[in-house]
């Protein structure tokens, strides 16, 4: 569902009147819902290493170079150079003094550091993107700002998670008549998302029952 549709879902849950366009979102609660929706979306995406966030890119490491600009907008999972897996080392000094181990890399400020080589190298990087939104043209971005923007969370979990999560955050009162319902629906959607996030059945969560 796109941003405007999710906003209207929230309005219905809160017993507010739905809107037909962004221009009608002028009330204080409208603004709060829009803000909270983005916060909830980002929190869910950052809460786990979801498969739907995995991306792959290729970068070039020029010859006789120890550092390149880090253009990765996210968290690196794997880095391969010429087919060899490189290990992350939290030891900036060894790279700056050219004493780093082979097949290793680190990060310093906005740079990725490698041991110097006389040959040009190609690195393949698999990472979890920080982007949580897709616009109408399929471009990724960090926040929903346009009515046609959509969460990167897979369907059908996006609607339930964002709607109930936003209502919970907006009311923030356990004594509110629908609070428990929203909480249960949110937890159910999150559990279902976790159970279907991997194509490998052995990676899926399981429930263990123990006798006392």
């Amino acid at each position: 569902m796109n941003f405007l549709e999710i906003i209207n879902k929230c309005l219905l849950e809160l017993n507010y009147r739905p809107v037909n366009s962004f221009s009608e979102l002028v009330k204080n609660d409208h603004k709060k819902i829009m803000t909270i929706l983005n916060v909830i979306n980002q929190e869910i995406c950052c809460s786990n290493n979801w498969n739907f966030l995995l991306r792959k890119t290729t970068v070039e490491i020029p010859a006789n170079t120890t550092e390149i600009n880090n253009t990765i907008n996210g968290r690196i999972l794997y880095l391969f150079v010429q087919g060899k897996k490189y290990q992350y080392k939290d030891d900036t000094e060894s790279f700056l003094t050219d004493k780093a181990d082979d097949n290793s890399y680190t990060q310093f400020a906005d740079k990725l550091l490698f041991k110097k080589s006389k040959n040009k190298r190609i690195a393949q990087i698999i990472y979890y993107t920080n982007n949580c939104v897709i616009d109408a043209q399929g471009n990724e971005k960090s926040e929903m700002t346009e009515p046609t923007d959509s969460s990167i969370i897979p369907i059908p979990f996006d609607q339930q998670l964002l709607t109930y999560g936003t209502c919970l955050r907006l009311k923030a009162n356990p004594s509110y008549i629908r609070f428990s319902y929203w909480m249960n629906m949110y937890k159910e959607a999150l559990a279902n998302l976790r159970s279907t996030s991997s194509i490998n059945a052995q990676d899926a969560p399981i429930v263990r029952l123990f006798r006392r």
Side-chain angles (χ1 to χ4, degrees), residues 114-164:
F114 301 87
K115 189 170 184 177
K116 184 182 293 187
S117 172
K118 63 181 180 181
N119 299 316
K120 180 183 75 174
R121 293 165 288 174
I122 302 298
Q124 284 191 325
I125 301 175
I126 298 173
Y127 65 99
Y128 292 101
T129 180
N130 285 337
N131 289 322
C132 305
V133 176
I134 301 176
D135 67 17
Q137 289 72 45
N139 301 311
E140 294 185 357
K141 53 194 290 191
S142 60
E143 292 189 349
M144 292 179 281
T145 56
E146 301 296 327
T148 53
D149 290 343
S150 300
S151 170
I152 210 167
I153 299 171
I155 299 171
F157 310 107
D158 57 341
Q159 175 187 333
Q160 194 167 333
L161 285 168
L162 296 180
T163 300
Y164 299 125

Side-chain angles (χ1 to χ4, degrees), residues 39-58:
V39 171
I40 295 294
N41 188 48
Q42 291 173 344
E43 285 182 352
I44 293 170
C45 288
C46 293
S47 68
N48 208 334
N49 291 333
W50 305 109
N51 283 349
F52 59 81
L53 296 178
L54 282 173
R55 301 291 182 269
K56 182 172 74 171
T57 190
T58 301

Side-chain angles (χ1 to χ4, degrees), residues 21-34:
S21 67
F22 254 32
S23 61
E24 299 177 46
L25 297 170
V26 295
K27 295 181 179 180
N28 190 41
D29 275 359
H30 290 161
K31 304 299 182 182
K32 287 182 180 179
I33 288 170
M34 295 170 71

Side-chain angles (χ1 to χ4, degrees), residues 36-188:
I36 294 172
L37 271 170
N38 273 305
V39 171
I40 295 294
N41 188 48
Q42 291 173 344
E43 285 182 352
I44 293 170
C45 288
C46 293
S47 68
N48 208 334
N49 291 333
W50 305 109
N51 283 349
F52 59 81
L53 296 178
L54 282 173
R55 301 291 182 269
K56 182 172 74 171
T57 190
T58 301
V59 298
E60 180 181 302
I61 309 171
N64 299 311
T65 298
T66 59
E67 64 180 45
I68 61 173
N69 290 328
N70 183 10
T71 58
I72 305 302
N73 181 28
R75 295 163 291 129
I76 295 175
L77 178 61
Y78 299 121
L79 190 149
F80 299 92
V81 177
Q82 306 299 122
K84 294 181 179 179
K85 182 179 178 181
Y86 273 42
Q87 298 292 333
Y88 177 81
K89 301 290 186 181
D90 190 15
D91 180 15
T92 305
E93 181 181 355
S94 65
F95 288 88
L96 297 176
T97 57
D98 199 28
K99 296 178 181 178
D101 297 334
D102 292 334
N103 302 342
S104 64
Y105 75 99
T106 195
Q107 180 177 342
F108 177 70
D110 59 348
K111 305 288 185 180
L112 292 177
L113 307 185
F114 301 87
K115 189 170 184 177
K116 184 182 293 187
S117 172
K118 63 181 180 181
N119 299 316
K120 180 183 75 174
R121 293 165 288 174
I122 302 298
Q124 284 191 325
I125 301 175
I126 298 173
Y127 65 99
Y128 292 101
T129 180
N130 285 337
N131 289 322
C132 305
V133 176
I134 301 176
D135 67 17
Q137 289 72 45
N139 301 311
E140 294 185 357
K141 53 194 290 191
S142 60
E143 292 189 349
M144 292 179 281
T145 56
E146 301 296 327
T148 53
D149 290 343
S150 300
S151 170
I152 210 167
I153 299 171
I155 299 171
F157 310 107
D158 57 341
Q159 175 187 333
Q160 194 167 333
L161 285 168
L162 296 180
T163 300
Y164 299 125
T166 298
C167 291
L168 284 168
R169 190 68 59 88
L170 182 68
K171 290 301 182 182
N173 183 0
S175 64
Y176 187 78
I177 189 169
R178 294 181 63 80
F179 191 90
S180 295
Y181 170 75
W182 293 336
M183 179 65 77
N184 290 335
M185 296 298 287
Y186 177 85
K187 288 181 177 179
E188 177 185 282

